[in-house]
Amino acid sequence: MWTATVASVLSIVQQISTMREPRQSQALITKTGLTGYPLVIAKLITFSALSTFGSLVYARAIFDETTVENTFLCNTMLRAYSQSAFPVEAIFLYNQMQRLNIKPDPFTYPFALKDGKLYGFQIAVKGAEIHCRALQTGFVCDHFVQNSLIHMYSHCGFLDLGRRVFDEMEEKTIASWNTMISAYDRINDFESADLMLQSIPGKNVVSWNTLIAQMPEKDAVSWNSIIAGYVQSKDYNGALELFREMQACGVEATEITLISVLGACAEMGALDFGRELHKLLKRKEFKIEGFLGTALLDMYAKCGSLNLAWEVFNGMKMKHVSCWNSMIVALAVHGYSEEALELFSAMEMRIDEVRPNRITFIGVLIACSHKGLVEEGRQYFAHMIGEYKIRPDVKHYGCMVDLLSRCGLLDEAYHIIKTMPFGANCILWRTLLGACRNYGHVEFAEEAFRRLAELEPLRDGDWVLLSNIYAEAERWADVERVRNEMIGLGILKKPGSSQIDVK
């Protein structure tokens, strides 16, 4: 009889796996009289909570109705909540487990801690409580639990506590190192990371770079984290050197690796290195689509190789809005205004596939500014607000101020600056100040200079511009006053310079 019962249970479990409707599964269980078997109920809840055909709400209803107090069932619901849009429910369910005295296992704590990053300090306090419970139950030495604690503490802003957990691990896995390195990446400031490490008492404190050097083994995830950290800190040359070292170690680059390295090439203008990466993509048969395709396109565009950027753009079958934006901005910045506007028109004809966003219109307005298309710029600006319901930000207003200033419409540019729904930044006032030099508007220049002084320390170029504006207006007393102030403040005009890459 026992063999027959087991066979029935396994048969029902197998049938649940092939169904696409949780209610069908529950009806089958009720019909066969197997509602009291934990294995069958566990399979139903797992199917309802985690399957693409399931429903988390329905799974919770089944869970609440069952009389089986089982750690596996609780862990299944914790896992489902941690992956859902309501991760805080995992904490509530964990609390319920404590009230019912359901014993946790090593999988309980990682699921309860997984998305603490969403809730800051309050979840950090709860996470510390879970940490204490893991100490009491003896599961705190489990790698999954330790990595989850590091992840939780670092996401909640307590990197020193995460580092303490890491330092106390007797055996560190690659996942442990990757979790710690990713935590430092999020700081985006290696000096701050080193200072934060100094606050850990009683430890053999090492720097971020030393931490990486101590890793016994690095996998692709490790290299990706390290390279991304260098890119985020703007050490682009360091990122490229690390990529070379990664290749020398025989670790296969992933799509994430190449996206980071292409970004470094774009910022450095390292066209030759970028071409090598493109050859690598072809050789390894990477699909040049999505984020990878956009990164390659952006690299060629920022390096000034628009022909190759066009080739990548035309070769992509699925063009995301960021792909269109990169190409439009590249054309506009390099002076191909008509081509940029034509591409925007082509984009609008595919409105069902891709919809312009605020970055798209920045590229369009830059194109109008470089070509001096004042009326067209006004129309596109109004089109953005009226047709696409995009609220202009400071960059859009900046493009309009630049367009009007280039064409000598300083009154209108000044009016935009004064009537914006937020305060103007230094870029806008400096744009107006530069235009005043070209069109001899002393009053606007004086106000722009005064506003700049209120927002940030003045640059040597700001003083020189104002002095030249006074000189153009033959206001020699003011020229002498400005130059005397520069001398008194120890401000010297820096000589211009440029760089060129040779071999």
Side-chain angles (χ1 to χ4, degrees), residues 177 181 207-216 218 226 230 242:
W177 288 93
I181 291 169
S207 69
W208 191 88
N209 290 321
T210 308
L211 177 75
I212 295 168
Q214 289 179 350
M215 288 185 70
K218 301 184 186 77
I226 300 166
Y230 274 84
L242 277 169

Side-chain angles (χ1 to χ4, degrees), residues 253-426:
T254 67
E255 184 172 320
I256 296 173
T257 317
L258 295 167
I259 289 171
S260 294
V261 178
L262 283 168
C265 291
E267 296 301 327
M268 288 182 65
L271 179 59
D272 290 338
F273 201 108
R275 282 177 174 164
E276 289 180 20
L277 289 176
H278 194 175
K279 291 177 183 177
L280 176 66
L281 292 176
K282 293 178 179 178
R283 191 166 61 252
K284 298 292 185 180
E285 297 183 352
F286 278 92
K287 194 175 182 180
I288 303 178
E289 296 285 347
F291 292 113
L292 182 60
T294 302
L296 183 63
L297 187 159
D298 191 57
M299 182 276 297
Y300 279 132
K302 287 183 177 177
C303 291
S305 186
L306 293 188
N307 289 336
L308 292 174
W310 263 118
E311 285 183 18
V312 175
F313 179 82
N314 291 328
M316 293 173 67
K317 295 178 180 178
M318 298 292 292
K319 297 182 179 69
H320 186 263
V321 63
S322 59
C323 179
W324 289 87
N325 291 347
S326 294
M327 200 67 237
I328 290 171
V329 171
L331 291 168
V333 167
H334 287 88
Y336 295 94
S337 300
E338 293 179 1
E339 290 82 352
L341 297 178
E342 287 174 4
L343 187 59
F344 174 70
S345 298
M347 183 182 184
E348 285 197 300
M349 293 177 68
R350 301 188 180 190
I351 195 68
D352 294 335
E353 301 174 20
V354 60
R355 184 178 179 83
N357 59 19
R358 59 181 63 251
I359 298 175
T360 315
F361 280 97
I362 289 174
V364 169
L365 293 174
I366 290 173
C368 292
S369 179
H370 284 197
K371 192 72 173 177
L373 305 173
V374 175
E375 191 55 42
E376 289 83 349
R378 292 180 182 133
Q379 290 173 2
Y380 282 122
F381 191 79
H383 187 55
M384 174 184 71
I385 299 170
E387 179 67 24
Y388 293 100
K389 311 301 179 187
I390 297 173
R391 183 179 295 178
D393 59 24
V394 68
K395 291 183 179 179
H396 298 105
Y397 283 110
C399 289
M400 288 303 297
V401 169
D402 183 57
L403 168 60
L404 296 167
S405 298
R406 284 172 182 258
C407 297
L409 302 173
L410 301 189
D411 289 323
E412 191 175 345
Y414 178 77
H415 177 75
I416 286 178
I417 293 175
K418 296 295 289 184
T419 57
M420 288 191 311
F422 33 74
N425 59 20
C426 296

Side-chain angles (χ1 to χ4, degrees), residues 172-226:
K172 301 175 178 68
T173 64
I174 287 187
S176 309
W177 288 93
N178 291 343
T179 303
M180 200 67 237
I181 291 169
S182 296
Y184 282 132
D185 279 351
R186 283 189 293 276
I187 293 177
N188 200 20
D189 185 344
F190 297 158
E191 290 183 9
S192 297
D194 287 344
L195 290 173
M196 192 171 291
L197 290 172
Q198 302 299 326
S199 66
I200 304 176
K203 298 297 173 190
N204 181 20
V205 179
V206 295
S207 69
W208 191 88
N209 290 321
T210 308
L211 177 75
I212 295 168
Q214 289 179 350
M215 288 185 70
E217 183 182 353
K218 301 184 186 77
D219 62 1
V221 177
S222 311
W223 286 102
N224 291 346
S225 298
I226 300 166

Side-chain angles (χ1 to χ4, degrees), residues 76-104:
T76 301
M77 291 303 301
L78 285 172
R79 177 185 173 191
Y81 277 127
S82 70
Q83 295 174 353
S84 74
F86 311 101
V88 74
E89 291 292 334
I91 299 296
F92 298 148
L93 182 56
Y94 172 81
N95 291 340
Q96 184 178 337
M97 286 181 67
Q98 301 305 307
R99 289 194 300 271
L100 296 173
N101 291 320
I102 300 174
K103 291 184 178 181

Side-chain angles (χ1 to χ4, degrees), residues 234-255:
K234 301 185 188 301
D235 185 357
Y236 305 119
N237 192 55
L240 299 187
E241 290 297 328
L242 277 169
F243 177 71
R244 290 190 183 96
E245 186 179 340
M246 177 183 180
Q247 289 183 305
C249 291
V251 180
E252 283 288 331
T254 67
E255 184 172 320

